[in-house]
Amino acid sequence: MKNLTLILSFWLFVFFPGYSQTIVTQDITANTVWESSGSPYIIQRELLTINEGVTLNIRPNVVVKLGDWRTSLLINGSLIAESGGSLLTSSPASVVFTSYKDDAHGGDSNNNGNADSPAPWDWTSIIVGETGYASFRQSLFLYGGDNFGNTMLEIFGGIDTIWNCRFAESNANAMRSHGKGIHMEYTYIETGGGISILGGEGKEISLFNNYISVATTPLGINSGEATVRLRDNNLTHAATSGVHANGCMISGIWTGNSYFYGDPDFPFFVSNALIESGASLTLPEGTIMKFGNSSGMSIEGSLYVDGEPGNPVVFTSLKDDDFGGDTNGDGSMTAPSRGSWGPLVFKGSDPSHLENLLIKYGGEWDWGMTIENSNVLVDNCVIAESGRTAVFIKDSNPEIRNSTFSNNVSAIYVNHSSMPLIYDNDFMFNGVGNASGDALSVDPI
């Protein structure tokens, strides 16, 4: 586990002194401070709103309890959950958002002893509205989210770095961002699902030194434009199913100029994605992209792969545990094979540059890579174990050089209206029955 020992100490030794509770039923309409002397604060309103232009400061050692499954807190102004210490202190303070039934934080607020216990969906969401702003430091989120897709933290507006927090005891995703970026550090997520990010242009997503243990997908990013940076996170590889994976799921239509900076222990998982015309995706060295059954990527814009000798970018099967670990969470039950995932399709006039890219196990139901009406440079790449022809060139003039084609059903097929440059490549063990042959086929005129 990376850089997380001090965080664990924090969650083991948080202490909250007991005070008489404060019932909150009215919206926050003026700047307000919630002090530990009034804790716990019990929200007994279906939707409590912090009005636009108003700030609620929640001081250290405060417990906020939400009254029932319909209860949410809407931030149209600002909410500042203050940190009571730093990561290096032995017993820092915290702010807790939890269930009204939670006797472990803030005492027996409903005065019924052990008659009930807290559970997931005891409350719904904390919502950062479009005009809102929130800062959560050393905050604990428990028992929120519902069964209809609402998460404990819904982000439509601005949010500071989520630092040294914990999301737990929920069957839902921990948080969802609606087109906004997220920067999260030293945070625990132990919920049904992780983080979902929808749409948006120019968003920045950074996850550093976090611990994520979820039942479905740790991070999912759908559509838009993003710079994604993943570093030194710890994922637990619980069993997954369907389209879920222990990684960052990429899907939808990508616009603008996106950059994915990966972590070898936190691979990207592509569940069908399109880079639209005029857009680009850049992948630096060491990035791992995995593909499930029948999934692939269409590139109508540009794909820039900037691998290095000895540290390539890797496109491979979700079942391939040699790169990025056991991403499908099934141990050794499944293994990759030829044609384990769908094709890469380059289709459009925008240029693409693939350098030091390793592609394995593609070509499930189509060519492993199709280059159609596209300007693509393939340089120092390895394409192996394709279930069909590794590269199909149609009506295009790509350049393929210094690359290796091995153990494919066949290597390169060129239709009669293409004029590619193909030189200084190695062809090994391509052909039916894994026999040498079928390096290059040309469609007759």
Side-chain angles (χ1 to χ4, degrees):
M1 190 175 296
K2 304 173 181 176
N3 303 318
L4 295 168
T5 304
L6 292 172
I7 304 176
L8 183 59
S9 298
F10 158 61
W11 292 118
L12 288 175
F13 295 108
V14 170
F15 171 71
F16 294 94
Y19 300 98
S20 57
Q21 64 188 24
T22 302
I23 305 298
V24 183
T25 60
Q26 300 297 316
D27 290 342
I28 309 298
T29 59
N31 291 341
T32 302
V33 177
W34 287 357
E35 301 276 5
S36 59
S37 57
S39 180
Y41 289 80
I42 314 297
I43 297 177
Q44 293 186 345
R45 181 168 180 164
E46 189 168 320
L47 183 64
L48 184 79
T49 301
I50 303 172
N51 284 0
E52 191 171 345
V54 171
T55 298
L56 171 63
N57 282 85
I58 304 179
R59 294 284 169 80
N61 294 324
V62 167
V63 175
V64 180
K65 295 191 176 185
L66 293 96
D68 65 27
W69 62 271
R70 297 165 296 184
T71 306
S72 292
L73 173 61
L74 173 60
I75 306 164
N76 286 334
S78 297
L79 184 147
I80 311 298
E82 297 186 8
S83 167
S86 71
L87 191 64
L88 301 179
T89 59
S90 59
S91 54
S94 179
V95 172
V96 175
F97 300 92
T98 190
S99 165
Y100 183 45
K101 302 174 184 177
D102 185 358
D103 297 351
H105 299 92
D108 184 12
S109 301
N110 55 5
N111 295 312
N112 67 351
N114 297 322
D116 55 19
S117 300
W121 197 10
D122 273 352
W123 55 278
T124 303
S125 299
I126 295 171
I127 307 164
V128 184
E130 292 182 359
T131 62
Y133 170 83
S135 176
F136 297 105
R137 301 259 170 162
Q138 293 179 313
S139 298
L140 177 58
F141 299 77
L142 298 172
Y143 305 111
D146 63 24
N147 293 338
F148 303 106
N150 293 303
T151 71
M152 284 198 280
L153 180 59
E154 296 278 346
I155 302 168
F156 294 86
I159 190 162
D160 198 2
T161 298
I162 299 170
W163 183 82
N164 201 8
C165 294
R166 183 182 177 215
F167 296 78
E169 305 297 344
S170 173
N171 295 328
N173 279 13
M175 67 186 78
R176 176 169 54 187
S177 171
H178 300 261
K180 303 296 181 181
I182 288 178
H183 187 175
M184 188 175 77
E185 296 187 43
Y186 298 102
T187 289
Y188 273 64
I189 294 181
E190 300 162 299
T191 50
I195 304 167
S196 176
I197 299 177
L198 309 176
E201 302 299 314
K203 54 187 179 289
E204 298 271 343
I205 301 157
S206 301
L207 273 63
F208 303 149
N209 300 291
N210 302 289
Y211 176 93
I212 305 176
S213 176
V214 296
T216 55
T217 300
L219 174 63
I221 308 174
N222 182 278
S223 304
E225 176 188 15
T227 297
V228 184
R229 294 183 174 88
L230 308 174
R231 188 178 69 233
D232 294 333
N233 299 285
N234 185 296
L235 305 184
T236 60
H237 293 269
T240 59
S241 61
V243 297
H244 305 305
N246 290 297
C248 175
M249 182 184 291
I250 300 297
S251 59
I253 299 173
W254 288 80
T255 59
N257 300 312
S258 295
Y259 303 83
F260 294 171
Y261 298 89
D263 184 330
D265 296 324
F266 201 154
F268 294 97
F269 165 52
V270 181
S271 177
N272 291 314
L274 167 66
I275 304 170
E276 71 173 15
S277 179
S280 69
L281 172 61
T282 299
L283 305 175
E285 69 274 8
T287 302
I288 298 170
M289 306 283 282
K290 292 191 172 185
F291 298 79
N293 292 343
S294 300
S295 65
M297 180 181 289
S298 297
I299 301 98
E300 295 178 359
S302 297
L303 176 63
Y304 300 115
V305 172
D306 297 326
E308 296 288 344
N311 192 23
V313 173
V314 177
F315 284 12
T316 190
S317 166
L318 181 63
K319 301 174 184 177
D320 188 353
D321 297 349
D322 291 338
F323 299 94
D326 183 17
T327 308
N328 63 351
D330 69 348
S332 58
M333 292 181 61
T334 59
S337 60
R338 290 178 179 174
S340 290
W341 55 279
L344 294 175
V345 179
F346 293 86
K347 189 174 183 179
S349 59
D350 296 350
S352 290
H353 184 170
L354 314 180
E355 185 170 2
N356 288 293
L357 169 64
L358 170 60
I359 302 176
K360 299 189 73 174
Y361 307 114
E364 177 185 8
W365 46 268
D366 206 338
W367 319 97
M369 178 193 300
T370 298
I371 302 174
E372 181 177 355
N373 294 310
S374 292
N375 177 12
V376 180
L377 171 62
V378 179
D379 186 16
N380 282 292
C381 295
V382 175
I383 304 177
E385 307 291 347
S386 179
R388 296 190 62 180
T389 299
V391 178
F392 173 45
I393 301 171
K394 180 181 180 182
D395 306 330
S396 299
N397 307 318
E399 183 175 353
I400 302 175
R401 67 193 188 198
N402 306 312
S403 294
T404 298
F405 295 80
S406 67
N407 292 291
N408 304 289
V409 170
S410 60
I412 302 175
Y413 184 88
V414 182
N415 84 331
H416 65 270
S417 56
S418 299
M419 296 183 63
L421 290 174
I422 303 173
Y423 59 96
D424 293 338
N425 301 288
D426 291 324
F427 298 89
M428 299 180 295
F429 307 111
N430 300 285
V432 177
N434 212 26
S436 180
D438 286 326
L440 176 62
S441 299
V442 180
D443 187 19
I445 297 175

